[in-house]
Amino acid sequence: MATPITIDVVSDVVCPWCYVGKRRLEMTLAARKDIAAEIRWRPFFLDPTVPREGKPRIDYITGKFGGTEKLTAAHKRLTGIGAEAGIDFHFEDIEVQPNTLDAHRVIGWAMVEGKADAVVDNLFRDFFVNGANLADPETLAAAGARGGMDIAKLRADLASDKDSELVRKQAQAASASGIGGVPFFVFNSKIALAGAQEAEVISSAIDQSLAAATGG
């Protein structure tokens, strides 16, 4: 019988390393038939200063990094790493840097329905592969619908302020707890792991959390 384990993943859908981390976690879990994982997605704002409607990507990059030059090498490296994880990064197609409050709201609702893994993957792929605008409520609703959620309800909920304050408080709590970067994983509320680590490192953290849970 598989041993149950909870995995809290603190993440933001505009973080490319979070996308890599998700894929590496999935590869790890696919090889660990001895455990049954419950993944709980926790919100984090990589940049909470981005306006709710988003801003042009070029303006965001210029304001934050002084230009695109500093990111070129990083994006090239990430493209290679992503390919190894089955991700086809297309950073050049991203036109809007979004505020991710609404994306996190959709993920929270998907968690309630047990559909978060698919919806999170849709959001990552929409942004990093297809260059979609995650500040657009219709884009978010469509991502949720492809994950099995009701698109009419998503549209109505996104048009409201439902759970906006809850997501803000959850993201603030993550930062207040000392999490300064994502992805950040917590296994069985006992073992923490920062960064998009390789599968063997994730597997080791799983083993440590299981040992801690049994007093081993």
Side-chain angles (χ1 to χ4, degrees):
M1 181 180 294
T3 302
I5 182 174
T6 59
I7 305 175
D8 290 288
V9 184
V10 186
S11 168
D12 197 358
V13 289
V14 293
C15 165
W17 284 108
C18 292
Y19 196 3
V20 173
K22 181 180 189 296
R23 286 296 174 85
R24 287 177 172 175
L25 175 63
E26 289 168 345
M27 289 187 284
T28 303
L29 295 177
R32 293 294 303 261
K33 305 300 184 185
D34 57 314
I35 63 170
E38 176 193 355
I39 299 176
R40 303 184 297 204
W41 294 92
R42 307 302 189 193
F44 187 89
F45 295 137
L46 206 61
D47 188 344
T49 69
V50 175
R52 191 74 175 265
E53 67 277 10
K55 67 188 302 183
R57 173 83 163 177
I58 188 65
D59 293 348
Y60 173 78
I61 290 174
T62 301
K64 193 173 182 68
F65 302 101
T68 60
E69 295 80 9
K70 291 182 180 179
L71 285 183
T72 301
H75 284 171
K76 184 177 180 180
R77 177 171 177 250
L78 268 164
T79 298
I81 291 171
E84 294 174 0
I87 302 169
D88 186 19
F89 279 118
H90 282 280
F91 295 102
E92 71 280 3
D93 291 339
I94 301 172
E95 296 183 357
V96 177
Q97 184 71 24
N99 178 297
T100 54
L101 172 64
D102 289 334
H104 286 304
R105 289 204 292 158
V106 171
I107 293 169
W109 302 330
M111 278 184 57
V112 174
E113 298 183 22
K115 299 169 181 173
D117 286 352
V119 172
V120 170
D121 204 68
N122 288 343
L123 292 168
F124 274 132
R125 186 170 60 253
D126 283 352
F127 186 65
F128 285 113
V129 179
N130 301 324
N133 179 8
L134 297 190
D136 178 12
E138 189 59 29
T139 298
L140 299 176
R146 295 199 312 275
M149 301 177 73
D150 182 273
I151 194 166
K153 187 173 189 308
L154 281 169
R155 286 168 174 156
D157 287 343
L158 282 166
S160 74
D161 205 35
K162 179 181 177 181
D163 292 336
S164 293
E165 190 58 29
L166 173 64
V167 169
R168 290 189 186 97
K169 288 181 178 179
Q170 289 174 334
Q172 289 166 0
S175 296
S177 71
I179 298 174
V182 286
F184 192 90
F185 305 87
V186 182
F187 301 88
N188 268 345
S189 301
K190 294 182 180 295
I191 301 297
L193 183 65
Q197 302 292 340
E198 298 284 355
E200 58 267 24
V201 178
I202 299 173
S203 191
S204 176
I206 289 172
D207 289 335
Q208 292 176 52
S209 72
L210 295 176
T214 59

